[in-house]
Amino acid sequence: MKKNFFIIAAVVCGMSYNTTAYAQFKIGGKKINVTKAVQAGTDAIKAISLSDADIAAMSKEYMEWMDTHNPLTKPETDYGKRLEKLTGNIKEVDGLKVNFGVYEVIDVNAFACGDGSVRICAGLMDIMTDDEVMAVVGHEIGHVIHTDSKDAMKNAYLRSAVKNAAGAASSTVSKLSDSELGAMAEALAGAQYSQKQETEADDYGFEFCIKNNLDPYAMYNALNKLLELSAEAPKESKFQKMFSSHPDTAKRVARAKEKADEYMKNKK
């Protein structure tokens, strides 16, 4: 279905017309918003050729939007004080300037964006120890350092452009998102990292713990705790759906333990 809309956008882009006089026309019994379809096709092209500077600017704008639309904890709250204790001395990681925040939501999750913003959900802080929280933080920063987050942002932009193209032919689809940032947030929520990307981020999280004098088993404990929670959660729950985007977790848990065991063995 989406592919067809892109074909329509491509055809429209090849036409010569006055956008003011011919804002809409009918095809297949549907009204097509020509201007929006053309913009969607243009956005798709832009998504493919986005520079690092474009991604950085987009990431900053995205995080401003996210922080506006989610309840950021205040510094004087228990979550705020705990966050400061954990991250107050971390200003830069591998050349990336970082900033931290806690969303007061029940989700067991965390993420990092290309601009260096790291956000932790209160639900995750509620179930994890300090070291486990920091292992997850290290994992998410790893996604940024390895450019996984940049690629996800680029793909989300492309996916939101696809939605714009679909919205050109349907007022109902169009209303699903009031802004491109909202569409990108939705696209990013459904993004999935590959097994290789997750494994590399796990390794980064492990090394992050070692560098910051944290428990070498923190990455293992955090992953294992999430695995146990996913087994207990209802099959169609939000947690199960979120967790399903992290592939082969049992293997990652075993691998994290092996790395910690090897580290402790060599340390003796």
Side-chain angles (χ1 to χ4, degrees):
M1 196 71 173
K2 288 182 179 178
K3 184 177 179 182
N4 290 337
F5 286 127
F6 263 112
I7 292 172
I8 291 170
V11 171
V12 172
C13 285
M15 295 172 62
S16 175
Y17 61 91
N18 182 304
T19 56
T20 303
Y22 302 98
Q24 292 186 340
F25 70 94
K26 284 188 176 182
I27 185 169
K30 291 186 177 181
K31 277 189 176 180
I32 302 297
N33 185 323
V34 175
T35 304
K36 191 170 184 181
V38 171
Q39 182 60 46
T42 304
D43 286 347
I45 294 170
K46 284 183 180 178
I48 296 171
S49 59
L50 286 173
S51 67
D52 287 349
D54 291 330
I55 296 292
M58 192 181 298
S59 297
K60 184 176 183 296
E61 187 177 358
Y62 172 75
M63 284 310 307
E64 288 172 354
W65 187 89
M66 285 291 288
D67 287 351
T68 299
H69 289 79
N70 288 284
L72 261 177
T73 194
K74 303 293 184 184
E76 63 272 15
T77 65
D78 289 342
Y79 289 120
K81 291 176 182 176
R82 186 180 176 196
L83 180 69
E84 175 62 23
K85 182 184 76 171
L86 294 176
T87 66
N89 66 329
I90 304 176
K91 308 299 181 184
E92 188 174 299
V93 179
D94 285 349
L96 175 72
K97 291 183 179 180
V98 292
N99 65 88
F100 300 89
V102 175
Y103 289 150
E104 291 191 5
V105 294
I106 62 173
D107 302 61
V108 181
N109 210 348
F111 72 94
C113 202
D115 69 331
S117 296
V118 182
R119 297 295 179 265
I120 309 163
C121 295
L124 185 134
M125 295 185 80
D126 287 342
I127 67 165
M128 292 196 174
T129 67
D130 288 354
D131 284 8
E132 289 165 1
V133 169
M134 292 306 289
V136 174
V137 165
H139 171 98
E140 297 303 332
I141 291 175
H143 279 309
V144 176
I145 297 299
H146 298 146
T147 75
D148 301 339
S149 298
K150 182 185 77 172
D151 294 339
M153 178 67 74
K154 190 173 183 178
N155 290 333
Y157 184 82
L158 179 58
R159 288 174 65 185
S160 67
V162 170
K163 178 170 286 188
N164 280 345
S170 169
S171 59
T172 303
V173 174
S174 179
K175 291 178 182 177
L176 288 177
S177 176
D178 292 330
S179 69
E180 186 172 73
L181 286 171
M184 285 178 62
E186 185 179 342
L188 281 168
Q192 293 188 7
Y193 291 126
S194 69
Q195 176 63 30
K196 181 175 182 291
Q197 288 172 321
E198 292 289 17
T199 298
E200 290 176 346
D202 289 345
D203 289 348
Y204 192 94
F206 172 78
E207 295 298 334
F208 181 83
C209 289
I210 301 303
K211 289 178 182 177
N212 287 280
N213 298 313
L214 302 172
D215 182 4
Y217 286 93
M219 190 77 254
Y220 157 70
N221 290 332
L223 286 172
N224 194 51
K225 191 170 286 186
L226 290 173
L227 181 63
E228 291 174 349
L229 282 172
S230 72
E232 298 170 2
K235 197 169 184 179
E236 296 302 317
S237 69
K238 183 178 180 181
F239 183 80
Q240 273 282 13
K241 290 177 181 178
M242 179 275 291
F243 204 72
S244 66
S245 67
H246 294 255
D248 295 333
T249 306
K251 292 181 181 178
R252 291 168 56 202
V253 169
R255 189 171 181 277
K257 186 175 186 304
E258 288 174 4
K259 287 183 71 69
D261 286 343
E262 185 66 22
Y263 174 80
M264 293 303 292
K265 179 182 176 181
N266 293 334
K267 193 177 179 182
K268 291 179 180 178

